[in-house]
Amino acid sequence: MSTRYKIKVSYDGTNYSGWQVQPEHRTVQGELERLLMHMTGGEKPVRVESSGRTDAGVHARAQVAHFDLEKPVDPQYFQRGLNAQLDRDIRVVSFEKVPSDFHARFSAVGKEYRYFIYNGLIIPPTKRLYYLQEGRRLDVEKMRRAAELLVGEHDFAPFSANPGRELNGTVRTIYSLNVRKHGADITLEVQGNGFLYKMVRSLAGYLVRVGIGDLKPESVHEILDHGIRTAVVPTAQPHGLFLWKVFY
Amino acid sequence: MSTRYKIKVSYDGTNYSGWQVQPEHRTVQGELERLLMHMTGGEKPVRVESSGRTDAGVHARAQVAHFDLEKPVDPQYFQRGLNAQLDRDIRVVSFEKVPSDFHARFSAVGKEYRYFIYNGLIIPPTKRLYYLQEGRRLDVEKMRRAAELLVGEHDFAPFSANPGRELNGTVRTIYSLNVRKHGADITLEVQGNGFLYKMVRSLAGYLVRVGIGDLKPESVHEILDHGIRTAVVPTAQPHGLFLWKVFY
C-alpha cells in the first residue's frame, strides 16, 4: 500500500515552461518529480498530479498537488529536503499525508486566481515580472460593471483559448470577480468552480479593453450570447497571473 | 555651453554589479553611459554622476543622477529613447533640465533607504530577490527600541564596512529609523543626511541580531561608544536594500 501526500507549492513561473512535464523543458512538475524520485531511491518514477496545469510564465502562490510514495516518509523532513534542493523560485510551502481518495484535481471544488496590472507609463523594475503593464488609463468603475456581469453560471466558451479541447464542456460558475485598485496597482481577483483554458487571462484581456474604453461593460452580454471566441477577447500576458488558492 | 540634465532611475539590482562603472562588468551607470553616448552621436563619452554608488545586488526605487550634454535635447524624447533601449530592469522614471550648478551628489541633503525582511521559514518565491529571509522570529518591539537609540547625530564608524575610506569623517545624522511590520514583512525605513559605506546594511544586520535576541537594544550605546567596527555588527545581504529617495 502506498501513501498519498498533498503539497502546496509556490512558484515564480518566470523561468519555467509552465507546470506540466515536457521533454527538454524546465517545468515545475518536472523539477518536483525529478527530486522526489531521487529522494525515494531513484528507481521508480513519482508522478505528481496538480490541481491543473499553469502555462509558461504564470506564477502560483499556492498550487496544490498530490503523489503516492511506496514507503511512508516524514513530511517535515521531506519538505525540508525538497526545499533544500529546489531552486529558490519554487517552494514547497506545506507537505502532509492525506487519505488515498484525495485527488488534487478531482477533489478541488473551486479556485482563486489573481491578475496584477500596473496602470502607468513606466513600470517599476521590481514589478516587471509579476504585473502586466498598461499605459492607457483604466477606468476601474467600468471594469467593475463588466466584472459584475461576468459573475454567475455562464457558457464561457468565448473566454477559452481552445473551447474544442474542453473535456467537461464550457459552462462554469464565477463566484466573485473583484477589481481592486491601490494607486497604480489594479488587481483582478476571481473565484470560480473551475476555469477553461486561458480563461483568466482572457477575462483580464477583456477587462483591460473595457477599462481603456474600447468596449462597453454591457458588451459582456453580446460576447456570451455570441457563444464563440472572437478577436474581441484578447488573451492577456501570462506573467500577471497567479494561481492564488485551490478550494477543497 | 553644455546643458545639464537630472534623471531619476529605478532599477532591479539583481543582475548588475552595482551602480558604478567597472570594466568587464554590467553596471547601471555603465548601461546609461553607453546608451547616452550612442544617442548623442557616439563620439564623446557622457559621464553620469549619481547621488552615490549602490553595491552589487542593491536596488533603487529612485536613484538620482546628472550629466551634461553638449547640445540641448528634448527630455521626454530622450527619456523614451533610453527606456526603449534599456533592459526592463532599469527605468528612467524622470528626465529634466536643471541649472548647471545642480550636482546629484553634492546638492543632496539627505537620503532614504528601505530594507525589506521576510520573517518566516519559507519565503514566497516572488519575494526572494527583494527581501532578506529570516526564519527566527524577530521581536519588532526590541528592534524599535534599538532603532530609537540610533536616531540622531552619532559617529557611525562601527556601522561602516570601511571607516578608513570615509573622506568626510564618520559622523552622520539619522533623522528617523522606523521598523514597520505587516504580517511576515518587516521593513526598515531610514532617513538621514548621509550614509557611510554599507551603513544601512550594517544597521539592518545589527537590528536583526537585536530582533532575534542575540543583543539587547541598549547595546547600541556600547557599540557607538566603542567607536570601531567589530564582528558584533554583521552586514546584511544586499538584495533586501532599496535606495528609496534622495532629498535636495
Side-chain angles (χ1 to χ4, degrees):
Chain A
M1 264 300 286
S2 62
T3 308
R4 183 157 288 190
Y5 296 93
K6 171 190 174 191
I7 54 174
K8 278 191 201 164
V9 189
S10 187
Y11 47 88
D12 176 337
T14 307
N15 297 319
Y16 294 89
S17 302
W19 167 268
Q20 195 175 42
V21 164
Q22 293 177 57
E24 319 266 324
H25 287 278
R26 195 156 168 266
T27 68
V28 180
Q29 185 189 16
E31 291 294 294
L32 290 167
E33 292 187 350
R34 182 174 62 76
L35 289 174
L36 282 168
M37 181 170 164
H38 176 70
M39 287 175 74
T40 53
E43 303 199 344
K44 288 195 77 170
V46 178
R47 167 84 185 176
V48 178
E49 184 101 35
S50 75
S51 70
R53 66 178 74 172
T54 52
D55 288 316
V58 172
H59 315 290
R61 173 181 165 272
Q63 168 70 286
V64 175
H66 78 261
F67 50 86
D68 297 322
L69 298 181
E70 295 211 328
K71 292 177 190 160
V73 299
D74 175 54
Q76 201 180 11
Y77 176 83
F78 246 60
Q79 180 183 0
R80 283 193 194 156
L82 280 171
N83 282 334
Q85 291 171 80
L86 285 162
D87 280 346
R88 276 164 48 93
D89 51 8
I90 306 179
R91 292 290 93 183
V92 178
V93 295
S94 76
F95 192 121
E96 57 179 315
K97 186 172 173 295
V98 285
S100 59
D101 64 351
F102 172 84
H103 192 286
R105 182 150 52 102
F106 301 135
S107 305
V109 296
K111 279 184 187 171
E112 176 174 343
Y113 284 92
R114 296 195 182 178
Y115 195 94
F116 294 87
I117 300 166
Y118 181 82
N119 190 22
L121 285 173
I122 302 173
I123 188 166
T126 56
K127 289 186 172 168
R128 76 193 185 286
L129 303 175
Y130 313 114
Y131 284 70
L132 174 76
Q133 186 255 333
E134 175 53 62
R136 292 164 292 186
R137 195 188 149 276
L138 293 170
D139 183 327
V140 171
E141 284 312 316
K142 285 185 183 166
M143 294 169 75
R144 284 183 181 140
R145 283 210 297 283
E148 276 170 34
L149 300 174
L150 286 160
V151 171
E153 186 183 80
H154 299 287
D155 181 344
F156 284 103
F159 293 92
S160 166
N162 191 354
R165 214 184 72 175
E166 305 289 352
L167 298 176
N168 300 310
T170 49
V171 175
R172 295 290 185 280
T173 300
I174 292 182
Y175 302 130
S176 65
L177 174 44
N178 294 311
V179 182
R180 301 195 188 280
K181 182 169 165 66
H182 295 279
D185 294 348
I186 294 173
T187 310
L188 314 176
E189 302 179 4
V190 58
Q191 297 189 336
N193 66 353
F195 293 88
L196 309 176
Y197 185 52
K198 296 189 182 173
M199 177 167 153
V200 183
R201 290 166 57 190
S202 301
L203 293 169
Y206 167 72
L207 289 173
V208 165
R209 287 201 70 187
V210 171
I212 61 177
D214 254 9
L215 297 170
K216 290 186 178 166
E218 296 71 27
S219 60
V220 169
H221 298 305
E222 296 156 46
I223 291 168
L224 289 176
D225 288 350
H226 188 57
I228 55 172
R229 175 79 177 221
T230 68
V232 170
V233 176
T235 305
Q237 290 174 293
H239 70 277
L241 182 62
F242 284 71
L243 171 55
W244 202 257
K245 195 171 183 178
V246 185
F247 299 100
Y248 292 96
Chain B
M1 264 299 288
S2 62
T3 309
R4 183 157 288 191
Y5 294 94
K6 171 191 174 190
I7 56 174
K8 278 191 200 163
V9 189
S10 187
Y11 47 88
D12 176 337
T14 307
N15 297 318
Y16 293 90
S17 301
W19 166 267
Q20 194 174 43
V21 165
Q22 294 177 55
E24 319 266 325
H25 287 279
R26 196 158 168 265
T27 68
V28 180
Q29 184 189 17
E31 292 294 293
L32 290 167
E33 292 188 350
R34 183 174 61 77
L35 288 174
L36 281 169
M37 181 170 164
H38 176 69
M39 288 174 74
T40 51
E43 302 201 344
K44 285 194 79 170
V46 178
R47 168 84 185 175
V48 178
E49 184 100 33
S50 75
S51 71
R53 67 177 73 171
T54 53
D55 287 317
V58 172
H59 315 290
R61 171 179 166 274
Q63 169 70 286
V64 174
H66 78 261
F67 50 87
D68 296 322
L69 298 182
E70 294 212 330
K71 291 176 191 162
V73 299
D74 175 52
Q76 201 179 13
Y77 175 84
F78 246 61
Q79 181 182 0
R80 283 193 194 157
L82 280 171
N83 282 334
Q85 292 170 80
L86 285 163
D87 280 346
R88 275 164 50 91
D89 52 7
I90 306 179
R91 292 290 93 182
V92 177
V93 296
S94 76
F95 193 121
E96 57 180 315
K97 186 170 173 297
V98 284
S100 59
D101 63 350
F102 172 83
H103 192 287
R105 184 150 52 101
F106 301 136
S107 305
V109 296
K111 279 183 185 171
E112 177 174 343
Y113 284 92
R114 295 196 181 177
Y115 195 94
F116 293 87
I117 301 166
Y118 182 81
N119 191 21
L121 285 173
I122 302 174
I123 187 167
T126 55
K127 288 185 173 168
R128 75 192 187 285
L129 304 175
Y130 313 114
Y131 285 70
L132 174 76
Q133 187 256 331
E134 175 54 62
R136 293 164 292 187
R137 195 187 148 276
L138 293 171
D139 184 328
V140 171
E141 285 312 316
K142 283 184 184 165
M143 293 169 76
R144 285 182 180 142
R145 282 210 298 283
E148 275 169 35
L149 300 175
L150 286 159
V151 170
E153 185 183 82
H154 300 287
D155 181 344
F156 283 103
F159 293 93
S160 165
N162 191 354
R165 215 184 69 174
E166 306 289 352
L167 298 177
N168 301 309
T170 50
V171 175
R172 295 290 185 279
T173 301
I174 291 182
Y175 302 130
S176 65
L177 173 45
N178 294 311
V179 182
R180 302 195 188 280
K181 182 169 165 66
H182 295 279
D185 295 346
I186 295 173
T187 310
L188 314 177
E189 301 178 4
V190 59
Q191 298 189 335
N193 66 353
F195 294 90
L196 308 176
Y197 185 53
K198 296 189 181 173
M199 177 167 153
V200 182
R201 289 166 58 189
S202 301
L203 293 169
Y206 167 72
L207 288 173
V208 165
R209 288 200 69 186
V210 170
I212 62 177
D214 254 10
L215 297 170
K216 289 187 178 167
E218 295 71 28
S219 61
V220 169
H221 298 305
E222 295 156 48
I223 291 168
L224 290 176
D225 288 350
H226 188 58
I228 54 171
R229 176 81 175 217
T230 68
V232 170
V233 176
T235 305
Q237 291 174 293
H239 70 277
L241 182 62
F242 284 70
L243 170 55
W244 202 256
K245 195 170 183 178
V246 186
F247 300 99
Y248 291 97

